[in-house]
Amino acid sequence: MAILRITDSGVLLDERPKGEEIALAEWRAGVRPEAGRFELFIPNTEDAEALAEIVKRFDAVILEFPDFKDGRAYTQARVLRERLHFTGELRARGQVLCDQALFMARAGFDAFEIGGGDAEGFAKAIGAYSFFYQPAADSARPIHALRAEKRAAA
Amino acid sequence: MYRYDEFDETLVRERVREFRGQVARRLSGELSEEEFKPLRLMNGLYLQLHAYMLRVAIPYGTLSSRQMRQLAHIARIYDKGYGHFTTRQNIQFNWPALIDVPDILDDLADVEMHAIQTSGNCIRNITSDPYAGAIAGEVDDPRVWSEVIRQWSSLHPEFSFLPRKFKIAVTASDQDRAAIRVHDIGLRLHRNGSGDRGFEVLVGGGLGRTPYVAETVREFLPERRLLSYLEAIMRVYNRLGRRDNKYKARIKILVADDVGDFRRQVEEEWGKSDKDRLDAPLDEVLRIRRFFAPPKFEKPGDASVLLAKARTVDAEFDRFVATNTLEHRQPGYAIVNISLKPIGLPPGDISADQMDAVADLAERYSFDELRATHEQNLCLPHVRKDDLFAVWRALDEAGLATANIGLVSDIIACPGLDYCDLANARSIPIATRIAERFADPASAADIGELKIKISGCINACGHHHVGHIGILGVDKKGEEFYQIMLGGSAAADASLGAITGRGFSSSEVVDAVDRLIGFYKANRGEGERFLDAYRRLGADPFKEVLYGDIAHH
Ligand code: SF4
């Protein structure tokens, strides 16, 4: 499974997961990883906020898009990043298409399981817009802040 | 009116560029129709019965003459010479070729317009009071906040794949002219006991298969907290709205299930949110507010001698003034409604030449402003009373002086079976036949305010649930039939109509409406509207009128 990652040095394609994967249900059933790096898979029906104590033990969280039209994981991602301040890898799984990659990136995803998907198309889609109106989980400053800056500079 | 700066412009242009690439991939066969569908829907492009349809957003219904001329240009070059105004203050073009759509979008961007989020399960075009800034009784111009919401909701990363489409309407008046009670979120700006401005937040209204009137989720939200509160509502909906059944996916179902629990969830989410980060900063609201400063009205006296004289001389003009104009908040001015319901033609349609004519009038007589109304009409918001006669003459010349606003022939009708592949029955011919039956202006004036709304199927795009008389097309063994509903309203006294009984065939339905109106005329009180008479008398006598006779034959 090819994984596309947004890194400081650009958008890179890479085959390796970050570590051993555990599903939330397994964790709840008492499965505990031994050592090393671990990834938690969370179904999109879960309230991410209730998982604060669990996710902080993981290096990566995987959220799912069973269908690209099912947008629940966008909310989970923002909650993980903006409210729980999760700093590990946040990876999108499922029907992950380049046309939604920008929304995913803005919601806090920094890795995408793209299968045979077109890495170049993803990179292009993620960079398709220069400005955004609303604050989200990425580092983009909203347009109103840019406007205020411009006024201050004038 | 709001004007784009470099940021707004860049965003819209980048959107066009992105879509141009996607269209090229579709045309080359790299994308299948199935893969292309979600992409075109995000740009307002539908595939209808016979062709593509492009829906263009008119944010909160406000247009400049330049924008209207560009719509005329698009109608002429890329369509069959006309456009169609919808019930959501949008305009639709019914015949564009796919290959032309990116060029159309660029033409729109040239005049600060777009088709972003006019379809798909996202936050749709924000609608508002068509008389915003012109009518008395508003606590503020609702377009200030509509524009704040438009920007916040554009390409929102979290709320672009909701369980279902999402519609927000804003008013700043107690007179609801934006149908806020039948929107997913309705916002009513008002002042509280201590004189502060804030929103009453209504959630969960909507038509469709299971219509609901919205519930008040919060009586008073300080206006500066609008966006963080909207985020909280949207987040609760995105998390908990049903996705297993398209017909139960609107927020109204979540709210109707348990409004108390819904309110608690929203308040809890809002309580935890980083409001200062999410809300529009004051300087940004002020920046937007400046675009909606009142125009520089002259200060004529309120009584116009010219107007009074013209009204005595020309009876048709007199009738036009009585039905199509409204008092303006500025003495000496009037609000002029332009009916897009000429007798015998499809509701909401307008030709390119007519668009140009209206644009000229807006430029010359109405501070360059036009409005689209949710009743599929247009409006010149700021016309001097002294100019009304000249405006009427020009409208008449353009075939746009039909004096029927709010009357029996001012019918809302969805595209129906003439265009829509979901339809059970035609809507437009029923509308035109009813209008023809009551074409005599004097008798229409005598009938008074009467809102007839027609949908070609249960999806209710023609808002039949909230018509004083609602008509719903149904399929009965392959034949078009029409059910009649009575007692609906989308105004501040919002209510849902009740089904009267079995449907009527296409050849019976106009007579049925005629009988209802005849009964009303015979039984109304002094100055009593059809709706009020229905509410006073109850459904039974009206049902008797509809079905009694037939039973006797
Ligand atoms: S109400 Fe039905 S027939 Fe009319 S436009 Fe909507 S979906 Fe089509």
PDB file of all heavy atoms in Angstrom, chain B residues 414-417 420-425 427 455-462, ligand 1:
ATOM      1  N   CYS B 414     -41.509  24.151  -9.674  1.00  0.00           N
ATOM      2  CA  CYS B 414     -40.211  23.535  -9.939  1.00  0.00           C
ATOM      3  C   CYS B 414     -40.134  23.191 -11.432  1.00  0.00           C
ATOM      4  O   CYS B 414     -41.135  23.252 -12.134  1.00  0.00           O
ATOM      5  CB  CYS B 414     -40.043  22.283  -9.085  1.00  0.00           C
ATOM      6  SG  CYS B 414     -40.935  20.869  -9.752  1.00  0.00           S
ATOM      7  N   PRO B 415     -38.968  22.806 -11.940  1.00  0.00           N
ATOM      8  CA  PRO B 415     -38.863  22.468 -13.369  1.00  0.00           C
ATOM      9  C   PRO B 415     -39.762  21.293 -13.781  1.00  0.00           C
ATOM     10  O   PRO B 415     -40.233  21.244 -14.910  1.00  0.00           O
ATOM     11  CB  PRO B 415     -37.392  22.117 -13.536  1.00  0.00           C
ATOM     12  CG  PRO B 415     -36.699  22.851 -12.428  1.00  0.00           C
ATOM     13  CD  PRO B 415     -37.665  22.840 -11.274  1.00  0.00           C
ATOM     14  N   GLY B 416     -39.982  20.347 -12.868  1.00  0.00           N
ATOM     15  CA  GLY B 416     -40.893  19.238 -13.155  1.00  0.00           C
ATOM     16  C   GLY B 416     -40.463  18.386 -14.331  1.00  0.00           C
ATOM     17  O   GLY B 416     -39.311  18.432 -14.771  1.00  0.00           O
ATOM     18  N   LEU B 417     -41.398  17.647 -14.848  1.00  0.00           N
ATOM     19  CA  LEU B 417     -41.093  16.646 -15.872  1.00  0.00           C
ATOM     20  C   LEU B 417     -40.578  17.242 -17.187  1.00  0.00           C
ATOM     21  O   LEU B 417     -40.038  16.531 -18.021  1.00  0.00           O
ATOM     22  CB  LEU B 417     -42.337  15.783 -16.120  1.00  0.00           C
ATOM     23  CG  LEU B 417     -42.142  14.437 -16.823  1.00  0.00           C
ATOM     24  CD1 LEU B 417     -41.119  13.567 -16.110  1.00  0.00           C
ATOM     25  CD2 LEU B 417     -43.468  13.691 -16.920  1.00  0.00           C
ATOM     26  N   CYS B 420     -36.711  17.693 -15.314  1.00  0.00           N
ATOM     27  CA  CYS B 420     -36.089  16.989 -14.196  1.00  0.00           C
ATOM     28  C   CYS B 420     -36.323  15.487 -14.296  1.00  0.00           C
ATOM     29  O   CYS B 420     -37.455  15.035 -14.493  1.00  0.00           O
ATOM     30  CB  CYS B 420     -36.672  17.521 -12.901  1.00  0.00           C
ATOM     31  SG  CYS B 420     -36.089  16.640 -11.468  1.00  0.00           S
ATOM     32  N   ASP B 421     -35.249  14.703 -14.146  1.00  0.00           N
ATOM     33  CA  ASP B 421     -35.409  13.260 -14.314  1.00  0.00           C
ATOM     34  C   ASP B 421     -36.010  12.580 -13.082  1.00  0.00           C
ATOM     35  O   ASP B 421     -36.269  11.390 -13.108  1.00  0.00           O
ATOM     36  CB  ASP B 421     -34.088  12.589 -14.736  1.00  0.00           C
ATOM     37  CG  ASP B 421     -32.956  12.906 -13.805  1.00  0.00           C
ATOM     38  OD1 ASP B 421     -33.176  13.652 -12.826  1.00  0.00           O
ATOM     39  OD2 ASP B 421     -31.840  12.408 -14.044  1.00  0.00           O
ATOM     40  N   LEU B 422     -36.226  13.316 -12.000  1.00  0.00           N
ATOM     41  CA  LEU B 422     -36.867  12.716 -10.827  1.00  0.00           C
ATOM     42  C   LEU B 422     -38.376  12.926 -10.824  1.00  0.00           C
ATOM     43  O   LEU B 422     -39.091  12.400  -9.987  1.00  0.00           O
ATOM     44  CB  LEU B 422     -36.281  13.327  -9.545  1.00  0.00           C
ATOM     45  CG  LEU B 422     -34.766  13.171  -9.383  1.00  0.00           C
ATOM     46  CD1 LEU B 422     -34.282  13.982  -8.191  1.00  0.00           C
ATOM     47  CD2 LEU B 422     -34.386  11.714  -9.207  1.00  0.00           C
ATOM     48  N   ALA B 423     -38.858  13.716 -11.759  1.00  0.00           N
ATOM     49  CA  ALA B 423     -40.249  14.171 -11.707  1.00  0.00           C
ATOM     50  C   ALA B 423     -41.247  13.039 -11.937  1.00  0.00           C
ATOM     51  O   ALA B 423     -40.998  12.102 -12.689  1.00  0.00           O
ATOM     52  CB  ALA B 423     -40.461  15.261 -12.750  1.00  0.00           C
ATOM     53  N   ASN B 424     -42.415  13.192 -11.270  1.00  0.00           N
ATOM     54  CA  ASN B 424     -43.563  12.334 -11.561  1.00  0.00           C
ATOM     55  C   ASN B 424     -44.484  12.995 -12.566  1.00  0.00           C
ATOM     56  O   ASN B 424     -45.267  12.324 -13.235  1.00  0.00           O
ATOM     57  CB  ASN B 424     -44.398  12.107 -10.298  1.00  0.00           C
ATOM     58  CG  ASN B 424     -43.703  11.188  -9.332  1.00  0.00           C
ATOM     59  OD1 ASN B 424     -43.045  10.243  -9.745  1.00  0.00           O
ATOM     60  ND2 ASN B 424     -43.834  11.487  -8.055  1.00  0.00           N
ATOM     61  N   ALA B 425     -44.451  14.307 -12.578  1.00  0.00           N
ATOM     62  CA  ALA B 425     -45.448  15.027 -13.361  1.00  0.00           C
ATOM     63  C   ALA B 425     -44.891  16.391 -13.752  1.00  0.00           C
ATOM     64  O   ALA B 425     -43.935  16.876 -13.158  1.00  0.00           O
ATOM     65  CB  ALA B 425     -46.722  15.206 -12.538  1.00  0.00           C
ATOM     66  N   SER B 427     -44.861  20.388 -13.908  1.00  0.00           N
ATOM     67  CA  SER B 427     -45.278  21.478 -13.027  1.00  0.00           C
ATOM     68  C   SER B 427     -45.594  22.726 -13.827  1.00  0.00           C
ATOM     69  O   SER B 427     -46.578  23.413 -13.577  1.00  0.00           O
ATOM     70  CB  SER B 427     -44.160  21.852 -12.052  1.00  0.00           C
ATOM     71  OG  SER B 427     -43.592  20.730 -11.479  1.00  0.00           O
ATOM     72  N   SER B 455     -44.877  21.397  -7.040  1.00  0.00           N
ATOM     73  CA  SER B 455     -43.708  20.527  -7.200  1.00  0.00           C
ATOM     74  C   SER B 455     -44.086  19.332  -8.069  1.00  0.00           C
ATOM     75  O   SER B 455     -45.187  18.800  -7.950  1.00  0.00           O
ATOM     76  CB  SER B 455     -43.227  19.982  -5.852  1.00  0.00           C
ATOM     77  OG  SER B 455     -42.960  21.012  -4.942  1.00  0.00           O
ATOM     78  N   GLY B 456     -43.118  18.888  -8.875  1.00  0.00           N
ATOM     79  CA  GLY B 456     -43.369  17.749  -9.753  1.00  0.00           C
ATOM     80  C   GLY B 456     -43.110  16.403  -9.102  1.00  0.00           C
ATOM     81  O   GLY B 456     -43.330  15.360  -9.712  1.00  0.00           O
ATOM     82  N   CYS B 457     -42.622  16.412  -7.871  1.00  0.00           N
ATOM     83  CA  CYS B 457     -42.474  15.170  -7.105  1.00  0.00           C
ATOM     84  C   CYS B 457     -42.295  15.519  -5.648  1.00  0.00           C
ATOM     85  O   CYS B 457     -42.190  16.680  -5.271  1.00  0.00           O
ATOM     86  CB  CYS B 457     -41.315  14.302  -7.623  1.00  0.00           C
ATOM     87  SG  CYS B 457     -39.700  14.779  -7.000  1.00  0.00           S
ATOM     88  N   ILE B 458     -42.205  14.475  -4.854  1.00  0.00           N
ATOM     89  CA  ILE B 458     -42.161  14.591  -3.403  1.00  0.00           C
ATOM     90  C   ILE B 458     -40.934  15.358  -2.890  1.00  0.00           C
ATOM     91  O   ILE B 458     -40.898  15.807  -1.754  1.00  0.00           O
ATOM     92  CB  ILE B 458     -42.223  13.149  -2.841  1.00  0.00           C
ATOM     93  CG1 ILE B 458     -42.588  13.113  -1.387  1.00  0.00           C
ATOM     94  CG2 ILE B 458     -40.947  12.405  -3.115  1.00  0.00           C
ATOM     95  CD1 ILE B 458     -42.972  11.707  -0.951  1.00  0.00           C
ATOM     96  N   ASN B 459     -39.923  15.550  -3.733  1.00  0.00           N
ATOM     97  CA  ASN B 459     -38.748  16.292  -3.273  1.00  0.00           C
ATOM     98  C   ASN B 459     -39.025  17.767  -3.003  1.00  0.00           C
ATOM     99  O   ASN B 459     -38.212  18.458  -2.398  1.00  0.00           O
ATOM    100  CB  ASN B 459     -37.597  16.157  -4.265  1.00  0.00           C
ATOM    101  CG  ASN B 459     -37.008  14.762  -4.212  1.00  0.00           C
ATOM    102  OD1 ASN B 459     -36.947  14.155  -3.149  1.00  0.00           O
ATOM    103  ND2 ASN B 459     -36.608  14.242  -5.359  1.00  0.00           N
ATOM    104  N   ALA B 460     -40.146  18.248  -3.487  1.00  0.00           N
ATOM    105  CA  ALA B 460     -40.671  19.539  -3.031  1.00  0.00           C
ATOM    106  C   ALA B 460     -39.830  20.749  -3.397  1.00  0.00           C
ATOM    107  O   ALA B 460     -39.806  21.737  -2.674  1.00  0.00           O
ATOM    108  CB  ALA B 460     -40.911  19.494  -1.515  1.00  0.00           C
ATOM    109  N   CYS B 461     -39.150  20.716  -4.538  1.00  0.00           N
ATOM    110  CA  CYS B 461     -38.386  21.889  -4.955  1.00  0.00           C
ATOM    111  C   CYS B 461     -39.311  23.077  -5.210  1.00  0.00           C
ATOM    112  O   CYS B 461     -38.869  24.220  -5.180  1.00  0.00           O
ATOM    113  CB  CYS B 461     -37.577  21.591  -6.212  1.00  0.00           C
ATOM    114  SG  CYS B 461     -36.470  20.184  -5.996  1.00  0.00           S
ATOM    115  N   GLY B 462     -40.567  22.823  -5.486  1.00  0.00           N
ATOM    116  CA  GLY B 462     -41.529  23.915  -5.683  1.00  0.00           C
ATOM    117  C   GLY B 462     -42.227  24.319  -4.387  1.00  0.00           C
ATOM    118  O   GLY B 462     -43.165  25.113  -4.421  1.00  0.00           O
TER     119      GLY B 462
HETATM  120  S1  SF4 C   1     -39.635  18.659  -6.966  1.00  0.00           S
HETATM  121 FE1  SF4 C   1     -39.073  16.769  -7.967  1.00  0.00          FE
HETATM  122  S2  SF4 C   1     -39.665  17.137 -10.098  1.00  0.00           S
HETATM  123 FE2  SF4 C   1     -39.512  19.135  -9.143  1.00  0.00          FE
HETATM  124  S3  SF4 C   1     -37.418  19.765  -9.549  1.00  0.00           S
HETATM  125 FE3  SF4 C   1     -37.454  18.822  -7.524  1.00  0.00          FE
HETATM  126  S4  SF4 C   1     -36.863  16.737  -7.893  1.00  0.00           S
HETATM  127 FE4  SF4 C   1     -37.473  17.582  -9.881  1.00  0.00          FE
END
